[in-house]
Amino acid sequence: MEKSTLVEIEQRFDADVERFANLETSQANTIDAVLNMELITDGIRDMYPNLKNIVDIGCGAGNYAIKTLMKSNNKVNVDLVDLSQPMLDRAKHRVQEHTEGEVQVFKGDFRSIDLPKGKYDVIIATMVLHHLRDDEDWEKAFMKLHGLLNGGGSIWIFDIVEQNSTEIQKFMYNDRYGEFLVKLKDKAYQEHVFAYIEKEDSPRPLLYQLHLLEKVGFKKVDILHKHLCFASFLGFKG
């Protein structure tokens, strides 16, 4: 199947701002969404008591940036990157309420946007990297993200992941995640979610991504949480 173009992805998110602006539920169709948000934002709080500069790529309506700011100081500068202008408009308004720092927005694909190298303490990348495509695309994207961080910086990722084994992929994704979606709503909803993941997303295994982080130069990588086909993990530059 031919995957969605960036324009098609942008159009889908333009029409879905309200769902992504719910700080309490985050994305309900992702497993342990609230737990992963807390783990990532608590981790950033504990690792960076003097946090200054963050960038949220694929920021949506700004939930992760807001949660980070609620646990940090009120001087943090935040750069927000997203394909969707309505998402960015909502995110900037919401994020600015939680910091006296500068909030900048960048519309477009983080792979092609000219972001400042070596600036950031933290990169937040939640439910965005699954839009990368072939191996070259993944490696170039991870190299760029590595270059955006300062010497003590880190990237914090939450995303859908595949399994290395096709048999375990069927068990974890088709069977168990499918059951989760049916219980969340119904069979029709499960089919809807599976259809747009098949059309729009191209996730890679957790181990693939951890190894790639190390390959492009991250010195320490670690896993925060994995449940079925969703995982949160991180890499430190220095």
Side-chain angles (χ1 to χ4, degrees), residues 195-213:
Y196 80 67
I197 290 175
E198 175 67 21
K199 173 66 175 170
E200 189 172 294
D201 304 343
S202 43
R204 291 299 178 94
L206 175 58
L207 292 175
Y208 172 94
Q209 296 184 60
L210 293 171
H211 292 154
L212 188 56
L213 286 170

Side-chain angles (χ1 to χ4, degrees), residues 27-37 39 127 157-163 168-169 171-181 183 194 197 204-206 223-233:
Q27 293 174 252
N29 62 2
T30 62
I31 294 174
D32 292 343
V34 175
L35 172 62
N36 282 287
M37 178 183 283
L39 288 173
M127 297 304 295
I157 300 167
F158 172 55
D159 218 324
I160 185 171
V161 296
E162 283 193 332
Q163 301 298 134
I168 299 299
Q169 172 69 6
F171 169 65
M172 298 285 268
Y173 178 77
N174 299 75
D175 300 342
R176 290 301 180 91
Y177 181 48
E179 180 183 359
F180 168 83
L181 292 172
K183 289 181 178 177
F194 276 0
I197 290 175
R204 291 299 178 94
L206 175 58
I223 300 166
L224 293 173
H225 182 68
K226 182 178 184 296
H227 186 178
L228 301 184
C229 52
F230 292 89
S232 55
F233 53 104

